[in-house]
Amino acid sequence: MLFILSIHAGYGQNDSMHHGGETFIPLHTYSYHLADRMDIRYDLSGRYLHTVVKPYTRFAIAGLADAVHGALPENARERFNYGYLQTETAEYHHMPDTGYAYAPHGRYLYPDPGALYTFFTLRINPVLSLMGGNSSVREPLLFVNTRGVEVRGDIDDKVGFYIYLTDNQARLPQYVQDRVDAAPQVTPGEGFSKIFKDDGVDYPSTHGYITFHATEHILFQFGQDKLFIGDGIRSMIWSDNSKDMLFLKIQTDIWRLQYENFFAELGNYDGSNIYNSLVHKKYAALHHLDIPITKTIHVGLFESVIFSRTNSYGIDQGFELQYLNPIIFYRAVESGLGSKDNVLLGADWKWNFLHRFSVYGQLVLDEFVFDEVFSGNGWWGNKYALQGGIKYIDAFSIPFLDLQYEYNMARPYTYSYEDDNASSYTHYAQAIAHPLGANFAEHLFHVQYQPLKKWSLENYLSLAQYGSDTSGSNWGGNIFLDYNSYETEYHNVTGQGLRNTLLLSDLRLSFQCWHNVFIDAQWIYRKHDGDDLPEAVSEQCFLLGIRIHTGKIDFLF
């Protein structure tokens, strides 16, 4: 989760709007799609919101909504969406009459549509997700049962705080359960879980943090949550695929630039055995600089390092203090320490044009030897990842029809390291970047359509090819393995080893019957064909549910 601060005077938020105590809009909620549309249509990127770093602060979304207010067309769906964003950020302004479908209910409960109960700056909401359905290959019924509470607020208009606390039980689709079985006690996207009624999972999901402004342009955040860097569906730099983590983040806004420092504690666990004691720790540090070249063109640069400090007795030695330097190059620190910590470098970019399109991408360099890269000989150490994508809003002049295509790939052995899991880009038996790890190529399509103001229809379609290992081999897809156990020094290609083809479609129809109260109908189809399978394995799931003040449950594995 990152801080989006006000930009330098003359290029930032409405001066009449005060920061207050910052909190963030949870990932996978409706605000992100709406903010994305506004960013492309109104050329506002960088003035109110740096879209590459997520989650967004409510303050940034409030500024974005206020900036487009006068330009909104007299359209019921557009006004509804604008009202939704204003309700999500009600602590930053008094809501004008926008024609929003939901109005305050009373003095004590729902004094505004976005909070069940408010007391001064404190806002409390229930969290509920009840979903049930069936699978073509699994009995009995699938279900998700989530209950909890969400609390946010600020103290003295300076310190913000957020708490999300839930208890969860679920019986998941078979292909998701297969991942749970492969890494005992780990539920994808979450952390520790217990067995529930022999064939389900039981796990807590908790997030919480505090924030405060050191100066007008420097914001600190400390707590437990997730981070996403990128403008795409996936991130090849840092995604929310794995469990939440303990972190300290510092975000600085100078003129139009946004500079991010991120320090985190990770779980050094590969899922190969069941833990009955503390999980060993490893650590991450990351710098990211976002540079708006123009109002519509952004370029970002990043470097990150993952390392562990465990002595010969298996005792964790803690964080390497030299990595706390907020401006130094990590490669220089690594060399100065005489260590071989796992450093990644790279860049990201975005260009919005014609008020309808956005092209974006990422480049991650795990290792780069110029002569080997351009010799075309498939050297095993050519480790890099790429992303390229395009968004098209109001496609073919059909209002609220939004299309997206994205290509992702990672060469064999990318994100892995020579000390097995200790410095690999993994956290608690899950990949930090893409869920497929490495040695894959993926085509990803996303369609979202809002036919009526309270209705939305969306579909994710993923087609991926990846390579897996035979027993005792390492073809570069399993990023938990020591990369020195590679099979061949040259002639390595993406997708090598046992060939696999994966098709996944996730179709969802949603109706918002109250602010952040959604009724969902979902159909999932997944087909996996591989060299080691006698025939293709497919699964269909039909799910129906309701969710209150929580994001969508994604099964894009």
Side-chain angles (χ1 to χ4, degrees):
M1 269 200 178
L2 276 308
F3 331 73
I4 314 295
L5 302 185
S6 64
I7 310 303
H8 190 274
Y11 194 77
Q13 296 269 17
N14 186 335
D15 291 338
S16 65
M17 189 186 297
H18 193 270
H19 278 291
E22 299 273 14
T23 60
F24 301 85
I25 295 179
L27 293 168
H28 300 290
T29 53
Y30 194 45
S31 297
Y32 286 86
H33 178 68
L34 300 184
D36 210 24
R37 284 178 53 86
M38 290 182 178
D39 173 64
I40 295 171
R41 174 176 288 173
Y42 297 108
D43 292 344
L44 296 174
S45 188
R47 284 184 283 177
Y48 304 94
L49 190 66
H50 290 254
T51 61
V52 70
V53 178
K54 301 175 178 70
Y56 303 148
T57 64
R58 296 179 191 276
F59 179 74
I61 294 297
L64 185 72
D66 284 354
V68 305
H69 177 245
L72 288 174
E74 292 297 328
N75 179 291
R77 286 173 287 180
E78 199 76 74
R79 291 289 171 177
F80 176 83
N81 293 340
Y82 173 74
Y84 176 91
L85 290 180
Q86 280 218 315
T87 301
E88 280 292 273
T89 58
E91 53 262 58
Y92 291 108
H93 44 224
H94 297 292
M95 289 181 56
D97 183 10
T98 63
Y100 190 49
Y102 312 119
H105 263 198
R107 179 179 177 183
Y108 298 105
L109 298 182
Y110 284 112
D112 72 64
L116 173 67
Y117 177 75
T118 63
F119 182 75
F120 293 99
T121 64
L122 188 69
R123 293 171 179 268
I124 302 175
N125 273 312
V127 175
L128 182 69
S129 180
L130 300 176
M131 180 177 289
N134 71 306
S135 164
S136 61
V137 299
R138 189 171 192 196
E139 296 289 346
L141 293 178
L142 307 179
F143 68 88
V144 175
N145 181 1
T146 296
R147 299 91 53 217
V149 64
E150 176 191 59
V151 181
R152 74 177 194 264
D154 68 75
I155 302 171
D156 295 332
D157 208 25
K158 295 182 182 297
V159 177
F161 61 89
Y162 178 85
I163 302 168
Y164 178 94
L165 177 64
T166 64
D167 184 43
N168 310 264
Q169 292 82 39
R171 184 178 293 115
L172 303 167
Q174 185 60 52
Y175 71 91
V176 183
Q177 185 62 42
D178 289 342
R179 287 192 55 178
V180 176
D181 296 340
Q185 294 186 307
V186 177
T187 297
E190 301 292 343
F192 173 81
S193 63
K194 299 181 293 184
I195 297 174
F196 179 74
K197 293 186 176 180
D198 296 329
D199 59 354
V201 292
D202 184 334
Y203 59 93
S205 182
T206 59
H207 315 285
Y209 55 81
I210 60 172
T211 66
F212 69 93
H213 281 277
T215 73
E216 182 182 358
H217 301 294
I218 300 177
L219 183 67
F220 283 78
Q221 183 187 13
F222 176 75
Q224 184 95 9
D225 217 311
K226 295 189 178 188
L227 166 72
F228 188 97
I229 296 179
D231 286 291
I233 301 167
R234 311 283 200 187
S235 174
M236 308 306 289
I237 299 173
W238 198 291
S239 79
D240 59 344
N241 174 67
S242 62
K243 182 186 182 299
D244 53 273
M245 60 205 71
L246 181 70
F247 64 84
L248 169 67
K249 287 178 284 191
I250 309 168
Q251 185 156 323
T252 305
D253 287 86
I254 304 174
W255 189 51
R256 303 179 185 182
L257 308 180
Q258 183 185 80
Y259 184 56
E260 176 71 24
N261 286 276
F262 174 75
F263 311 101
E265 181 182 87
L266 307 175
N268 184 14
Y269 174 43
D270 64 2
S272 60
N273 64 307
I274 297 178
Y275 264 90
N276 293 311
S277 59
L278 287 176
V279 175
H280 286 294
K281 303 295 190 296
K282 60 182 180 179
Y283 305 92
L286 180 146
H287 300 155
H288 185 275
L289 176 65
D290 188 42
I291 309 167
I293 305 300
T294 70
K295 290 191 295 185
T296 60
I297 299 176
H298 279 234
V299 174
L301 303 173
F302 86 93
E303 61 170 347
S304 60
V305 59
I306 290 185
F307 59 96
S308 66
R309 293 291 184 267
T310 304
N311 64 20
S312 58
Y313 298 100
I315 300 175
D316 293 322
Q317 301 296 295
F319 195 93
E320 181 63 64
L321 295 181
Q322 293 198 50
Y323 286 124
L324 289 174
N325 189 321
I327 58 176
I328 198 168
F329 289 104
Y330 289 141
R331 187 66 78 183
V333 174
E334 175 205 37
S335 299
L337 293 171
S339 72
K340 294 183 178 181
D341 299 329
N342 194 2
V343 177
L344 262 62
L345 306 172
D348 53 76
W349 56 89
K350 179 187 71 173
W351 175 34
N352 296 345
F353 60 98
L354 299 178
H355 305 284
R356 290 285 186 89
F357 299 92
S358 180
V359 294
Y360 61 90
Q362 295 179 338
L363 169 64
V364 175
L365 298 177
D366 194 350
E367 194 162 343
F368 186 88
V369 177
F370 187 89
D371 291 341
E372 296 285 6
V373 169
F374 292 98
S375 67
N377 57 15
W379 182 50
W380 77 273
N382 290 340
K383 297 180 292 177
Y384 59 85
L386 286 171
Q387 179 185 89
I390 183 168
K391 302 174 185 178
Y392 180 17
I393 67 170
D394 298 328
F396 312 111
S397 299
I398 301 174
F400 301 95
L401 174 63
D402 302 330
L403 308 179
Q404 183 175 3
Y405 166 74
E406 182 173 298
Y407 174 76
N408 300 296
M409 68 82 64
R411 287 271 301 169
Y413 309 105
T414 307
Y415 305 115
S416 61
Y417 211 57
E418 62 184 354
D419 56 356
D420 298 329
N421 188 42
S423 296
S424 64
Y425 273 70
T426 59
H427 171 45
Y428 217 97
Q430 299 167 78
I432 285 175
H434 196 287
L436 289 177
N439 193 24
F440 72 88
E442 176 190 43
H443 300 274
L444 189 55
F445 302 87
H446 179 222
V447 180
Q448 181 148 345
Y449 180 50
Q450 186 181 6
L452 298 169
K453 60 185 182 181
K454 298 182 182 181
W455 291 86
S456 66
L457 178 69
E458 67 175 324
N459 180 231
Y460 289 96
L461 178 65
S462 172
L463 177 62
Q465 293 184 325
Y466 65 95
S468 58
D469 299 331
T470 55
S471 178
S473 66
N474 180 10
W475 290 103
N478 185 349
I479 62 178
F480 293 93
L481 299 179
D482 185 335
Y483 62 34
N484 285 319
S485 61
Y486 59 82
E487 298 300 314
T488 177
E489 184 171 6
Y490 292 100
H491 310 296
N492 292 277
V493 296
T494 302
Q496 65 185 10
L498 296 174
R499 298 276 180 163
N500 295 264
T501 300
L502 183 62
L503 173 66
L504 177 63
S505 178
D506 187 344
L507 177 66
R508 184 193 307 260
L509 176 65
S510 297
F511 173 69
Q512 188 176 178
C513 55
W514 180 254
H515 184 82
N516 276 338
V517 178
F518 294 88
I519 297 173
D520 297 322
Q522 190 173 8
W523 172 71
I524 301 170
Y525 175 75
R526 186 180 189 268
K527 182 179 180 181
H528 175 206
D529 195 6
D531 288 347
D532 59 339
L533 298 175
E535 60 182 11
V537 177
S538 62
E539 181 175 7
Q540 292 190 66
C541 303
F542 297 90
L543 300 164
L544 184 66
I546 183 171
R547 54 188 168 91
I548 302 174
H549 295 289
T550 188
K552 297 178 295 183
I553 300 174
D554 290 327
F555 297 113
L556 288 174
F557 305 121

